[in-house]
Amino acid sequence: FNKNYPFYTSSSKSMILHFKKYAKWIKKKLKKNASILEIGSNDGTFLQNFKNYFHIGFEPSKSVHDVAIKRNVKSINKFFNLQNINFLIKKKIKFDVIVGSNVICHIPNQNNLIKTMLKLLKENGKIIFEEPYLGSMYKKISYDQIYDEHIFIFSVNAINKISKLFDLELIDVLEQNTHGGSMRYVVGRKNVRTVSKNVENILKREKNLGQDTLESCIKFKLNCEISKKKLVEKIQSIKSRGKKIAGYAATSKSTTVLNYCDIGTNYIDCIFDTTKEKIGKYSPGKHIPIISYDSFYNQLPDYAYLFAWNHKEEIFKKEKEFINKGGRWISHVDI
Ligand code: JHZ
């Protein structure tokens, strides 16, 4: 997460809408004078919905932080940790809500993170976060959720256990379709709020699936190997027919697929992407050129590998012309 971090939350229209709805859901339960802090607030896509509230975002990457500032979002260009919150402690500022989306699982030192949150959370405050869900990853065999930035893939069972270690309580869980299957967690201080039935229900479901067992991990590993074999065979068959394949969206996730399945420029000519910082660069490890999405229709491939499969509804809707021109989508997950 450096000064040139190239992931902008607003690169997906459906995510902008998701964060708008998510903000509305939070605001329903908030008083007008409530305060909210976001960890990893990126380009301000979520916090821009809270301009009328006392809000602060912590965002270590300058590129995206600058965009948030332009959007009039109060963004601090720093990591969220014990060292960087002194200015808030000194002013005795505490928050009603602390949020994070696709960010809690990126932070290696969960101990420091939770201690930092606890210093700033009001007695009856809530910690709300959304992260890719282990259950969805197992089900969809979406092993590409595992990459350098994703240190953890959480389950409800894991968050429940971690909460207890810090005298916190998991008070609600809500399943989300975003990013290929996520879970929204609501955590509060112990014995302050009523716990929703959802928590028990999903904990039971995870138990019945044996999701917390070593056997599930081993089964997932075998499923990944089968998925890899099928994908390589599919791509080889397409190539043997002389067809051209290009990648659609140079996602972080694609790095795992390309390297794990050993897919390089022998199979995929280039990857089209909309992020200007990524254009002219190469995919990590496999060195597939990343080119501007603007030339997608000029250099139309026969097959487009949908690396941003998590945004398929949005992409299929806008790329009807690709299908009309005879194009086909492929991916390692069911799309
Ligand atoms: P997308 C990032 O992962 C990184 P990525 C991070 N670690 C994380 O957790 C998630 O986001 C939330 C391009 N694109 O959202 C733009 C198109 O070209 O699946 C971006 O380069 N055309 C923080 O990278 C990339 O996809 C499109 O129509 O796996 C973003 O991909 C769309 C919708 C995206 O996240």
Side-chain angles (χ1 to χ4, degrees), residues 41-45 47-48 51 55 57 59 61-77:
S41 40
N42 200 273
D43 57 11
T45 300
L47 276 187
Q48 67 186 351
K51 282 187 193 159
H55 70 272
E59 176 46 62
S61 309
K62 188 154 183 335
S63 46
V64 289
H65 153 86
D66 285 348
V67 177
I69 293 287
K70 277 198 197 118
R71 290 188 173 142
N72 278 327
V73 166
K74 289 190 193 77
S75 175
I76 309 285
N77 187 203

Side-chain angles (χ1 to χ4, degrees), residues 177-192:
N177 290 329
T178 47
H179 288 300
S182 301
M183 190 66 77
R184 180 180 298 167
Y185 302 91
V186 184
V187 173
R189 293 186 196 272
K190 206 172 153 189
N191 300 332
V192 174

Side-chain angles (χ1 to χ4, degrees), residues 5 7 11-12 102 106 147 149-150 179 248-253 272-275 278 308 310-311 314-315 318:
Y5 186 59
F7 173 74
S11 63
S12 149
N102 306 302
H106 292 60
Y147 56 85
E149 288 178 13
H150 286 182
H179 288 300
Y248 191 101
T251 59
S252 304
K253 295 182 290 293
F272 294 98
D273 197 276
T274 53
T275 312
K278 295 187 185 179
N310 45 312
H311 301 304
E314 172 179 350
I315 293 171
K318 74 175 170 193

Side-chain angles (χ1 to χ4, degrees), residues 17-247:
L17 194 68
H18 169 75
F19 283 117
K20 198 170 174 182
K21 284 190 195 152
Y22 181 9
K24 208 168 158 194
W25 178 80
I26 292 183
K27 280 194 262 187
K28 257 197 259 166
K29 294 163 198 155
L30 276 191
K31 290 195 185 117
K32 286 271 169 285
N33 62 349
S35 49
I36 181 161
L37 180 148
E38 186 180 11
I39 305 167
S41 40
N42 200 273
D43 57 11
T45 300
F46 175 74
L47 276 187
Q48 67 186 351
N49 299 298
F50 287 90
K51 282 187 193 159
N52 297 333
Y53 289 79
F54 179 78
H55 70 272
I56 286 187
F58 276 77
E59 176 46 62
S61 309
K62 188 154 183 335
S63 46
V64 289
H65 153 86
D66 285 348
V67 177
I69 293 287
K70 277 198 197 118
R71 290 188 173 142
N72 278 327
V73 166
K74 289 190 193 77
S75 175
I76 309 285
N77 187 203
K78 281 186 180 156
F79 279 101
F80 179 77
N81 57 33
L82 284 174
Q83 295 74 50
N84 291 337
I85 57 160
N86 267 336
F87 75 104
L88 292 169
I89 304 275
K90 271 187 201 147
K91 289 186 191 157
K92 295 197 168 63
I93 295 175
K94 293 211 171 189
F95 292 85
D96 294 283
V97 184
I98 298 181
V99 289
S101 303
N102 306 302
V103 70
I104 304 301
C105 73
H106 292 60
I107 303 176
N109 192 341
Q110 293 277 306
N111 221 22
N112 185 306
L113 168 69
I114 300 171
K115 282 183 183 158
T116 313
M117 292 199 274
L118 287 178
K119 282 204 184 293
L120 296 176
L121 188 71
K122 284 188 185 169
E123 267 320 293
N124 62 351
K126 286 187 230 171
I127 301 169
I128 310 178
F129 54 103
E130 286 185 359
E131 310 290 316
Y133 177 54
L134 182 80
S136 307
M137 184 180 82
Y138 276 0
K139 199 168 164 194
K140 295 186 179 168
I141 322 172
S142 47
Y143 56 84
D144 52 338
Q145 286 295 1
I146 304 171
Y147 56 85
D148 61 339
E149 288 178 13
H150 286 182
I151 315 287
F152 305 101
I153 309 285
F154 294 127
S155 63
V156 173
N157 179 44
I159 297 299
N160 191 40
K161 282 186 178 162
I162 296 170
S163 303
K164 286 182 183 159
L165 292 176
F166 291 87
D167 267 340
L168 290 165
E169 191 166 46
L170 182 56
I171 49 183
D172 206 358
V173 280
L174 297 104
E175 288 182 88
Q176 307 294 316
N177 290 329
T178 47
H179 288 300
S182 301
M183 190 66 77
R184 180 180 298 167
Y185 302 91
V186 184
V187 173
R189 293 186 196 272
K190 206 172 153 189
N191 300 332
V192 174
R193 291 175 182 274
T194 26
V195 176
S196 152
K197 261 270 176 217
N198 292 346
V199 177
E200 193 191 318
N201 289 346
I202 302 196
L203 278 174
K204 251 193 213 153
R205 189 183 77 193
E206 289 187 352
K207 190 97 202 136
N208 290 342
L209 288 170
Q211 205 178 268
D212 59 340
T213 60
L214 183 61
E215 285 72 26
S216 300
C217 285
I218 295 169
K219 185 159 180 252
F220 175 64
K221 175 183 181 274
L222 292 174
N223 284 341
C224 290
E225 283 164 8
I226 296 167
S227 165
K228 171 181 175 171
K229 193 165 171 283
K230 271 200 209 152
L231 177 68
V232 174
E233 281 169 6
K234 189 177 188 176
I235 289 182
Q236 282 172 342
S237 137
I238 293 172
K239 289 309 283 180
S240 70
R241 287 182 277 124
K243 303 287 182 193
K244 193 174 141 187
I245 310 175

